[in-house]
Amino acid sequence: MYSLKVSYLCKHYSQTLLFKDISFELHPGEVLAITGWNGSGKSTLLRIIAGLVRPTTGKVEMFFKGESIPKESRRRFVGMVAPAFSLYEELTALENLEFFCKVRGIAYDRKSCLAMMERTGLSENAHKLCRNYSSGMKQRLKLAQALLHSPPLLLLDEPGCNLDSKGMKIVENIIAAQRQLGMTVIASNEKREVDYGDRVINLSE
Amino acid sequence: MYSLKVSYLCKHYSQTLLFKDISFELHPGEVLAITGWNGSGKSTLLRIIAGLVRPTTGKVEMFFKGESIPKESRRRFVGMVAPAFSLYEELTALENLEFFCKVRGIAYDRKSCLAMMERTGLSENAHKLCRNYSSGMKQRLKLAQALLHSPPLLLLDEPGCNLDSKGMKIVENIIAAQRQLGMTVIASNEKREVDYGDRVINLSE
Amino acid sequence: MIAKVLLTIWMTAIIVAAFLYADAAVGFPGETSRILFFHVPQAWVATLSFLLSMIASCIYLARRRVTADNLALSAAELGLLFCLLATASGSIFAKAAWGSFWNWDPRQTSIVILLMIYGAYFALRSAVGDPEKRRVFAAVYSILAFVTVPFLVFVVPRITASLHPEDTMNPAKPGMDPKTLKVFLGSLLAYTGLFIWILRLRLRLLNLEGMQEPEFLVTEKMDLEGEE
Amino acid sequence: MKSGRWITETGSSTYLSEAVAIWLRDLRGEFRTRYAVNSILMFAVTTLIAVSFSIGSFRIGDDEQPFLYAVLLWIILVFSALSGLSRSFVKEEEAGTMDVLKLSARPQAVFLGKLFFNLTLLGALELIIVPSFILLMNYEIKLPGLFTAMVVSGGIGLGGGTTIVAAMIAQASARGALFSVLSFPLLLPLMITAIKGCEKSAVGTNNPGWPEVRIAVAYSIVMIVMSLFLFPLIWEESMQ
Amino acid sequence: MKSGRWITETGSSTYLSEAVAIWLRDLRGEFRTRYAVNSILMFAVTTLIAVSFSIGSFRIGDDEQPFLYAVLLWIILVFSALSGLSRSFVKEEEAGTMDVLKLSARPQAVFLGKLFFNLTLLGALELIIVPSFILLMNYEIKLPGLFTAMVVSGGIGLGGGTTIVAAMIAQASARGALFSVLSFPLLLPLMITAIKGCEKSAVGTNNPGWPEVRIAVAYSIVMIVMSLFLFPLIWEESMQ
Ligand code: HEM
Ligand SMILES: Nc1ncnc2c1ncn2[C@@H]1O[C@H](COP(=O)(O)OP(=O)(O)OP(=O)(O)O)[C@@H](O)[C@H]1O
Ligand SMILES: Nc1ncnc2c1ncn2[C@@H]1O[C@H](COP(=O)(O)OP(=O)(O)OP(=O)(O)O)[C@@H](O)[C@H]1O
Ligand SMILES: [Mg+2]
Ligand SMILES: [Mg+2]
C-alpha cells in the first residue's frame, strides 16, 4: 500500500561529494540495508529520507496507494533511530514515550507504552530518569520511541549499537515484525544487521 | 612496573545494588574484559577505576614499582574511551588532539598528532570540525585522544561502537600494541571484543 | 530535663524583667528601647551561629565527618532563623523609631545581604543531589561567603551615615545603666541557652534521619527530583 | 477509509492538543531542572533589589516618579524575559532532541507549545516581580485596572515577539548574541507603549478605550499570527 | 628516572602552561561559537541603551549624578557578567566534555584557565561598556586614574568571585538560577566598594592611597587564593 521512491539522490558538503545518483524503490515487507565505511554517508542518506536533511539534488517521495504523501504528513509514516538522536534526559523513560504519543497525536495509553517497554526490555526501568540510563538502555528507548506509531517506514541507523545479545535479538524481532507492517531501511556496518537486508546498497563502492 | 589493584568494589544506586565485591589485580601486558547485560554496571565499573565515580565501598589503587600512585597524578596513567564522552565539537579534530596534548603536559608535536590520526584512520579529516564528524569518526577520535600520552592503563568502554570493519581492526591493533605498553580493561558485549581479554569478568553472574 | 526547666524559668524572668525591672533608656521614643533586650541578643545569636557554621564547615572539609556537616547545617538554619527574627524586630523598631519599616539603612542592607547569602547556601544544598557532593559544595560556599563578610563589615558603613544606634547603648562601653546591663546580659545568656538547646535538638534529629535513611536512599530522593 | 483523507487528516489530535503536550513537557522538564524559571526569576529579583536599593536612596520628584518607575519596571521585565525565554528552543538543539521532535511534531504545534511555555514563564515572572516592585518602590497606581491590563497585554506581546526569534537563533551558531540583538528592536515599540500605559495608570490619565492596551494587544496578535505563518519555514529551513 | 619523581613530577609542563592551554581553547571555542561573549556584550549593550534612554530624559541633580551613575554602571557590569560567566563550565558539563577534561587536567590548571577566560571576557566587556556608558550618559569623571583603577580592579574581583561558583553550579541542577543567586551576595561587597570608588572619582575626592581600589584588590586576591585551595575539592567531588 505504501511505497518509498528515492530518485537520483546526490549530496555534497562544500566541495566533497558524499554520494550521487542513489535511486531505489521500496515496498512493504522489504528490508533495505545500507552499508559503507565510516563517513561514507549512510546516516546522511537516512536523514535525507526522513526529511531532516535536504539533498543537493534528487528527491524522496512516499506514496500511499499511489498518491504522493505531502511533506507535512510524513511524520505519521516515518519512525527513526540514530546515534545522534537523544530523548529528554530529565524525563523518565515512560514520560518520554507518553510525550511522543501525545505529540504525534496517538491517543496515549499507558498500557501500550508499558507493553512497548516490555518489548524493548525496559519494563523494570520505566520510571528511571533517562539521564541515568546506561548506553544500551538509551538505545532500547530510542527503538521504542521509533515504533510507537507503528510507522510504515522504519529507518534504523546502527540499531544494534551499544546493545547486548538480548538487545540484538530485540532488533531482529523488530525487523521481522516490520516485514509484516511495512518497509525498513537499515544503515549499519555490522555484518549481522546488513544481512537482514533483502538488498544492500554499499555507499563505498 | 605498573599495576592496578581493585579490592572489594561495590556500587549502589539508591536501593539497587549494581555489583559487589569486585576484586582483581592487573599487571602490564594483561587484558581484562568486562561483560554483562545492558545496565549491569560495566561502564560504571570503568568510571570507578578511572576515578570519575566514587564506589560505595572498596578501593582502586595504582602502583608504580610497588609505590602507590597518588590520586592527583593518576591522569598520566589512565586513558579512557566511553560512549558518554565527547570531545570539543567546535574544534577540528587536530585542534582537539593538540589541546589534550597541552593540557596533559605532553609537548605538543603536530607530527605525532597527525601520526595518531593516521593510526586511527582520520588523516583525511584532520581539519574537519568535530561537529561534522560521523559517528564512527568521532569514535576514532576518542580512541586517538585516549592514546595520546601512551597510558599504562587503557580503559575501553565499547571501543568498537559505531566502527566499520577497518575501525574494528584498528581497535584490535591498539589492544595488541597495548600489551607491550601496559594494561587494558575492555567493557563490551561484542563477542569479538570480549575475546581479546585474557580474563573475563561477567557482571551479570 | 533540669536544664530545660531552668531555661524556661530564666527566659520568663528575663521577659518580665525587661518590661518591669529595667528603665527605658533616654533618647528613644517612649518605651521602644526595651527592644534592646530581644533584638540585640537575636542578632548576637545569629552571628554566633553563622560563625559556628563556618567553623563546622572547615572541620567537615578537613575530616569529612557527617556530624560536622550536620552541625554546619543546623547552625546555618538557626542563624537564618534568628537573623530573620532580628530583622523583624528591627523593622518593627524602625517603624517606631524612624517612621518606616524599611528604608535601606546600611544595617538593613547588610542584613539583607546576610539573608541572601544563607538563602543561597540552602538553595545550593537543595540543588545538589549527591549527599557527599552537597556537603562539600555547601562547606566551600559557606567559607567563601564568610570570607566576604569582613569586606561587608568594613565597606557598607562607609556608604552612608546610618541611623542605626551603634554606640549609644553599646553594652561593652562603660556608662550603661547597671539595671539595663544586668537584664541585657541575662537576656544574652538566655538566648544563647535557647540557641544551644534548639541546636542540640536539631542535631539529634539530623543524626536520627541519617541513621534510619542510609546514604544511598537520600540520593534516590533527589534523583526523582531530577537532579544528578 | 478513503486514501486521501488518511494522508492529510490529523486523526483525533488537533494542533492544540499537540501544542499542549509540548507545553506540558516543557513545564515538566522545567520543573525538574528549574533552569529557565529560576534564571529569569532570580535575575529579576536581584535586579529589583539592586534597582530599589540604588533608587531607594533618592528623593525622586513626585512628578517624575510615574515615568521613571514605569521605565524601570519594564526594563526589569524585558531583560529578565530576554535572559530566559530563548532556553526552550536552544535546549532542544543542544540536547540533541530537536531531530526527534522534528520527526514527530507539526511546526505549528511546536510553535504554540513553546509560546504557551514562554507565556507561562512570563506570567510567573510578572506575578512575582510586579507586586514586589510596587511594594518595594512604593509605586502608587491610580488606575489598577489599566495597570493590570497593560502588564498582562505587555507580557503576551513579549512572549509573542520573542518565541519566534528564539526558534531562529536556536539554529544559528551565535546564540546568546542574536537573541538579544534580534529581539530587542522587535520589542522596543511594545516596550515604549507599555511604559506609556503604566505611566498613565500611575498618573491617573484615563484615556477612554485604553489606547496603549489596544496597541499592545494588536502587537501581540500580529506577532503571533505572523509567527504561525513564518515558523514552519524556519522549522523546515533548519535542515542543512 | 627515580620512581618517586616519575609519579609526582609534572614533567616539563607547569600549572601555568596547562592553564594557558585551557584558556586558549576556551577562547578559540568562544571565537567560533561566540556564545558567552555575545550574550554578555549584547546583554550589556541593550541594558546600556535602555538605561541611558530612560535616565537620559531626566535632569538628575548634579550632586546626585556621581552616585547614581556609578550605581547604574556597576549594575550593568555585574549583571552582564552574571549572564555569561558561568558558560565556560556549564558548557563543558552540557557538551559532555567534562569527563575527558577531568581525566586529563589538573584542577588548579582548570581553575586558572577558566579564570583567565572569564577575565578576558570581562576585559572585553569593560572595554566596550565603560567608554560607551561615559559617552552616552555624559558621565564626568574628575579623576580618570582612580576611575580606571577601580574599573580594572573591580573587574578582576568579579572574575575571581564568580569562577569557582560557576564550577559548582555546573554540577548542580537549576544552573541558570543558582549562578546569580550564589554569586550576587558574594559580589555585593565588591560592588558596593566599586560604586563608592567610581563615585569618588566622579566627585573628585582623592583619598590618598585609593582605599576602594585597595579593598577591591584585596578582595580579588583573597577570592582567587581561596578558590585555588577550594577548587580541587569541588573538582574531585564532581563524581557521583
Ligand atoms: C530592620 C531594622 C534593623 C535591623 C536589620 C537591625 C539589625 C541589627 C543587628 C544585625 C545588630 C547586631 C549588631 C552587632 O552585633 O554589632 C543590631 C544591634 C542593635 N540594634 Fe538593630 N537593627 C534594626 C533596627 C534597629 C533600630 C530601629 C534600633 C533602635 C533605634 C536598633 C537598635 C539596635 C541596638 C541598640 C543594637 C546594639 C548595638 C551595638 O551592639 O552596639 N536596631 N541591629
Ligand atoms: N554538516 C556537515 N558539514 C560538512 N560535512 C558533513 C556534515 N555532516 C556530515 N558531514 C560529513 O559527511 C560525511 C558522512 O557523514 P555520515 O554521518 O553520513 O557518515 P556515516 O556513513 O553515517 O558514517 P558512520 O559509519 O561513521 O556513522 C562525513 O565525512 C562527515 O564528516
Ligand atoms: N547517576 C545514576 N543514578 C542512578 N542510577 C544510575 C546512575 N548512573 C547509572 N545508573 C544505573 O546503573 C546501571 C548501570 O549503568 P552502566 O552505564 O554502568 O551500565 P552498562 O553495564 O555500561 O550498560 P550498557 O551495556 O548499556 O552500556 C543502570 O541501570 C543505570 O540506570
Ligand atoms: Mg552514521
Ligand atoms: Mg556502558
Side-chain angles (χ1 to χ4, degrees), chain D residues 11 21 53 78-80 96-97 100 133 136 145 160 204 220 222:
Chain D
F53 169 69
V78 168
F79 285 103
S80 309
T97 51
V100 188
F133 186 84
L136 265 178
S220 313
V222 170

Side-chain angles (χ1 to χ4, degrees), chain B residues 2 8 23 49 67 69-70 77 108 111 113 131 133 136 144 165 170 177 193-194 197:
Chain B
Y2 300 98
Y8 302 105
S23 305
I49 295 175
E67 271 178 70
I69 300 174
F77 300 86
Y108 166 64
K111 272 227 196 76
C113 281
R131 166 166 320 128
Y133 260 35
S165 53
I170 291 170
E193 286 165 13
V194 174

Side-chain angles (χ1 to χ4, degrees), chain A residues 43 157-158, chain B residues 135:
Chain A
S43 304
D157 192 357
E158 310 193 33
Chain B
S135 55

Side-chain angles (χ1 to χ4, degrees), chain A residues 132-150:
Chain A
N132 297 334
Y133 260 33
S134 80
S135 56
M137 287 150 76
K138 279 186 185 152
Q139 179 68 12
R140 285 156 188 249
L141 189 61
K142 282 194 242 173
L143 285 167
Q145 175 275 326
L147 294 172
L148 272 183
H149 53 307
S150 320

Side-chain angles (χ1 to χ4, degrees), chain D residues 9 21 23 49 54 63 68 77 92 118 149 151 158-160 163-164 173 180 189-191 198 218 228:
Chain D
E9 224 195 19
W23 174 47
I49 290 178
S54 63
D63 48 333
L68 185 58
L77 286 177
E92 300 266 2
N118 280 347
V151 167
L158 263 185
T163 304
I164 190 160
S173 55
S180 316
L190 177 75
M191 210 172 146
C198 285
L228 267 178

Side-chain angles (χ1 to χ4, degrees), chain B residues 12 14-15 54, chain C residues 130 216-217 220:
Chain B
H12 282 277
S14 39
Q15 295 99 323
R54 212 193 336 253
Chain C
D130 182 68
F216 46 86
L217 284 187
E220 162 70 2

Side-chain angles (χ1 to χ4, degrees), chain D residues 32-35 37-39 42-43 46-47 49-51 53-55 57-60 64-65 67-68 71-72 75 79 82-83 86-87 90 94 173-178 180-181 184 188 191-192 195, chain E residues 32-35 38-39 42-43 46-51 53-55 57-60 64-65 67-68 71-72 75 79 82-83 86-87 90-91 94 173-178 180-181 184 191-192 195:
Chain D
R32 302 248 165 97
T33 61
R34 272 161 271 133
Y35 194 101
V37 73
N38 268 330
S39 79
M42 287 309 149
F43 181 84
T46 38
T47 328
I49 290 178
V51 166
F53 169 69
S54 63
I55 303 292
S57 42
F58 287 94
R59 281 146 303 283
I60 293 169
E64 291 191 335
Q65 215 194 43
F67 177 60
L68 185 58
V71 170
L72 287 177
I75 288 183
F79 285 103
L82 284 185
S83 79
S86 68
R87 280 304 295 179
V90 171
E94 287 185 348
S173 55
R175 288 173 185 141
L178 279 174
S180 316
V181 173
F184 197 66
L188 253 182
M191 210 172 146
I192 291 171
I195 289 173
Chain E
R32 302 242 167 101
T33 62
R34 270 159 276 130
Y35 192 98
N38 270 330
S39 81
M42 286 311 149
F43 184 86
T46 36
T47 330
L48 183 63
I49 292 173
V51 165
F53 166 72
S54 65
I55 303 290
S57 45
F58 286 94
R59 283 146 305 286
I60 292 170
E64 290 190 337
Q65 214 193 45
F67 177 61
L68 186 57
V71 169
L72 287 176
I75 287 183
F79 284 105
L82 286 186
S83 79
S86 67
R87 277 307 295 180
V90 170
K91 226 205 122 209
E94 287 185 346
S173 61
R175 290 172 184 140
L178 265 185
S180 315
V181 174
F184 194 64
M191 204 173 152
I192 293 171
I195 289 173

